[in-house]
Structure formats: C-alpha cells, structure tokens
Amino acid sequence: VSEATQAPPAQANRQFLLAERPQGVPTADTFTLTSGAVPEPRESEVVVKTLYLSLDPAMRMWMNEGRSYIEPVAVGEVMRAIGLGQVTGSRHPGLAEGDYVTGLLGAQQFATLPGDQLNKIDPELAPLPVHLSALGMTGMSAYFGLLDVGQPNEGETVVVSAAAGAVGSVAGQIAKIKGCRVIGIAGGPHKCRFVTDELGFDAAIDYKSENVAERLQELCPERVDVYFDNVGGEVLDAVLANLAGGARVVISGAISQYNSAQPKGPANYMALAVDRARMQGFIVTDYVPRFGEAVRDISAWIADGRLRSDEQIVEGFDNFPAALLKLFDGQNRGKLILEVAKA
Ligand SMILES: NC(=O)c1ccc[n+]([C@@H]2O[C@H](COP(=O)([O-])OP(=O)(O)OC[C@H]3O[C@@H](n4cnc5c(N)ncnc54)[C@H](OP(=O)(O)O)[C@@H]3O)[C@@H](O)[C@H]2O)c1
C-alpha cells in the first residue's frame, strides 16, 4: 500500500452520533464515534472547525423522544451541541475565514452549516471559553431568567439552586449586583464555600448534608422572594415551603429529574396559592433578539470585576461522553466545557 493511499483524508471529521436513546444516565452505548469527510460548503454555508463544545444538562433532554421545545436528536444523527469554532471556509458573505463563531456545531470536529445559523463573536471581548459561559447561553439564561422572569427588587431575598454551576453562579452574582440578599444551594462544602467566599453570595446551604427547608427558615426569616430553580425535585419543594407573599419561582431547569423516566413534580405547589406566588418557566432562545442587552451588561460587570465567569475545561474530543456525565454527578463547578482543538 502506498503512502498516498494510507494518508487520512485532508480533513477527517470525527463525530459522536446518538447510538440509542438512553434509559436513565447515558452509558458507553449511548454514542458511537465515527469518522467521515468534511462536506464542502454550498452557497451561503460555512465550514467551522470546532474549538470548544458547551456541555449542557439540556443535552440529556434532547436525547428523549416526545414533545419538547426543540426536536429530539434522531438516533444515528450527530449529537446536538452548542460550540465555539473558527471558520475555515466560507461561502457566506457575512463570514470570513478566521472568524470566530458560536452556534449549534454538534459533537463533531468540523461543522458545515448555513452562515445565518451562526453568531459571530468578538474574541477581543473576553477569552474564547467565556463566550460559551457568562457571555453565552449560560449567561443569557441567568440574565433573562432572573431579571425578566424573576423580577427581583433591591433588598429582596433570592435563592438559587445548582449555585456553583454555570447558570446558577451567574444568576446569583447578578442578583447581588441588583442589591438582593442571595442564598445559594449547592452540593458539598467546597461548592458552598466557593459561592460565599469567591462569588460573594450571603450564605449557602449544602443540600447533601443539611435540611434545606430548616436552613431556609433560619437564613430567611422573612422568607424567599425569588427562587431561581435549576434542580427541581426535593429542593424545589423545600423552597416552596418558604415562599414570601408574591414570590416568583423561576423554572430554569430540573436537573435532578432529567435521567428519570418518571420525573416527580412538586408536592408543595399549593404554596403558590397561599403565598399568592407564581411559578414560571422560560427558554433562553426566546430572548435572542435581546441578547445584545445582556452581553453589554455582563461584559461590563466582568470588566469592572463585579461578575466572575468560571469555567471548567476538559481537554480532548474523545472525552465528550465522559465529560457530559460530570454535570449529573456534580463533578463540575462553573461552566463545563470540552476543548476539542487548540485555538
Ligand atoms: N431554561 C433555559 O433556557 C435554560 C438554559 C440553560 C440551562 N438551563 C438549566 O439550568 C440548569 C443548570 O444548567 P447548567 O448548564 O448551569 O449546569 P450546571 O449547574 O453547571 O451543572 C449541573 C449541576 O447540577 C447539580 N446537580 C446535578 N444533579 C443534581 C441532583 N440530582 N440534585 C440537585 N442538583 C444536582 C450539580 O451541582 P451540585 O454539585 O451542587 O449538586 C451539577 O454541578 C439546568 O437545569 C439546565 O437545564 C435552562
């Protein structure tokens, strides 16, 4: 065999495909790793080399069949993933080789897709991973979920769950910037110390070793005005039992239920009637037209040191399946990101 025939294709594209719909926590059988050629861009398309992939709890929901806010990933399809990459070929007038973009690149080393589906970013504004973190969907979720849905007022008490995680850490810091008293709920003493000592929350509750409802009674004698819920389950019930009159419960997510075939709803929902409170969900992509507003505020807060964007970066494309699981056993702190290639 000649050397020429042994050489790999100029741009081999390795991809993780959804191999089967997981029951419970994804396993080694959930994804297949394949390799193919990078498709040439057609008119108005671009080729993007993936540098970073955002690892998101929502990816677990995208693997399920059934009605949701977005179509499920089909079995055999490249796993859907938000990513940040660099344009390596363009037939789109608005994007040139070398530009940095974010979008639904998928769990693959190269993505060929319409330029209109990508968002060009300014690499001077912040280090690249921050564009998937506080300046990406994570920050947008925290900003609009808290401010638009939660509507906190200065002096109110805000409680945030998964407080040391990507969305929670930003939501709590924004609540502090808005003059609220902020209590974080997180798993383990390290994460609790992180949210108080490094992010400036007023207090933290370790839901793994403390009784959340009792600790809330102690820490919030005037009860809870805004609850930014990332986890659902028992923690949601404990906070519902401590709502103040007119409270707002923001349903950002319910990660404690994502691997369950029969997610459990809140038992204490009558607190909404007793406390004249409301519970409202949101999907961050509904706010796309207003993202500029959030990017402006968040980048200013980062620049003046009032907001910290925290990322945990796992290296190596092949580690995609294992890295994703870190979200579900609490191994991540801040925004979990996979580095696919060096920038
Ligand atoms: N609505 C939207 O548009 C939108 C957009 C983005 C994200 N979200 C939601 O926001 C939430 C947080 O997402 P993220 O990307 O910021 O992830 P993340 O918080 O960085 O990571 C997930 C964290 O959840 C906690 N967790 C995992 N299993 C749990 C369980 N059984 N009970 C309680 N906590 C558990 C873990 O922290 P501990 O160590 O503290 O347990 C883990 O670190 C998710 O629910 C996600 O779906 C919603």
Side-chain angles (χ1 to χ4, degrees):
V1 184
S2 73
E3 265 187 29
T5 55
Q6 271 181 350
Q11 279 191 332
N13 186 20
R14 297 168 76 234
Q15 308 174 304
F16 279 102
L17 312 183
L18 181 66
E20 61 177 36
R21 300 205 180 282
Q23 307 296 318
V25 179
T27 67
D29 297 329
T30 304
F31 301 106
T32 337
L33 183 57
T34 61
S35 184
V38 182
E40 288 296 321
R42 290 174 299 195
E43 183 61 34
S44 80
E45 286 189 336
V46 295
V47 180
V48 180
K49 179 183 179 187
T50 310
L51 300 176
Y52 296 100
L53 286 177
S54 169
L55 298 173
D56 293 290
M59 293 163 89
R60 177 63 189 84
M61 289 198 287
W62 300 341
M63 297 177 203
N64 291 341
E65 219 144 32
R67 181 178 174 273
S68 187
Y69 62 95
I70 190 170
E71 284 295 303
V73 178
V75 170
E77 212 171 65
V78 175
M79 181 58 205
R80 182 184 296 138
I82 298 171
L84 183 153
Q86 195 165 23
V87 174
T88 57
S90 176
R91 293 188 60 195
H92 186 279
L95 291 169
E97 214 171 295
D99 282 349
Y100 290 99
V101 291
T102 56
L104 284 175
L105 302 185
Q108 54 186 344
Q109 292 174 307
F110 290 90
T112 303
L113 74 186
D116 289 349
Q117 293 178 11
L118 294 164
N119 169 43
K120 185 172 159 180
I121 58 146
D122 175 5
E124 301 298 321
L125 203 56
L128 292 175
V130 177
H131 293 269
L132 292 178
S133 181
L135 291 177
M137 287 296 172
T138 290
M140 302 301 109
S141 305
Y143 185 96
F144 292 107
L146 179 74
L147 299 181
D148 212 66
V149 186
Q151 299 182 353
N153 298 305
E154 197 177 338
E156 285 190 327
T157 296
V158 174
V159 172
V160 181
S161 54
V167 174
S169 61
V170 178
Q173 291 181 87
I174 296 175
K176 281 304 298 175
I177 290 167
K178 295 292 176 183
C180 300
R181 184 164 172 266
V182 182
I183 317 290
I185 302 176
H190 287 104
K191 287 190 178 184
C192 286
R193 269 199 301 278
F194 170 70
V195 302
T196 52
D197 299 1
E198 296 186 48
L199 301 182
F201 287 29
D202 297 281
I205 301 174
D206 176 1
Y207 76 93
K208 288 186 173 165
S209 70
E210 298 183 290
N211 181 313
V212 179
E214 279 175 23
R215 286 290 288 139
L216 283 171
Q217 275 167 31
E218 289 162 17
L219 289 166
C220 315
E222 314 247 308
R223 305 172 74 89
V224 177
D225 300 296
V226 177
Y227 175 42
F228 191 101
D229 188 25
N230 287 313
V231 306
E234 288 169 14
V235 172
L236 171 57
D237 261 332
V239 185
L240 287 177
N242 284 281
L243 294 183
R248 286 80 70 202
V249 177
V250 182
I251 302 300
S252 163
I255 192 169
S256 73
Q257 306 300 311
Y258 289 174
N259 285 307
S260 164
Q262 283 175 323
K264 275 207 328 244
N268 285 341
Y269 75 96
M270 274 306 289
L272 299 175
V274 172
D275 297 306
R276 286 80 165 169
R278 74 175 157 81
M279 180 147 99
Q280 187 184 331
F282 72 94
I283 294 295
V284 63
T285 44
D286 293 348
Y287 290 94
V288 166
R290 292 179 55 195
F291 275 8
E293 207 180 298
V295 168
R296 206 169 44 242
D297 279 351
I298 294 173
S299 49
W301 292 329
I302 292 175
D304 69 15
R306 290 206 284 168
L307 192 142
R308 166 179 163 159
S309 183
D310 198 53
E311 294 88 37
Q312 179 176 341
I313 298 186
V314 176
E315 289 181 13
F317 181 63
D318 291 8
N319 292 323
F320 168 74
L324 184 62
L325 294 185
K326 288 179 186 285
L327 293 169
F328 299 97
D329 61 14
Q331 276 189 59
N332 73 304
R333 197 193 79 183
K335 176 72 202 170
L336 186 62
I337 291 175
L338 187 73
E339 185 184 74
V340 175
K342 297 277 176 206

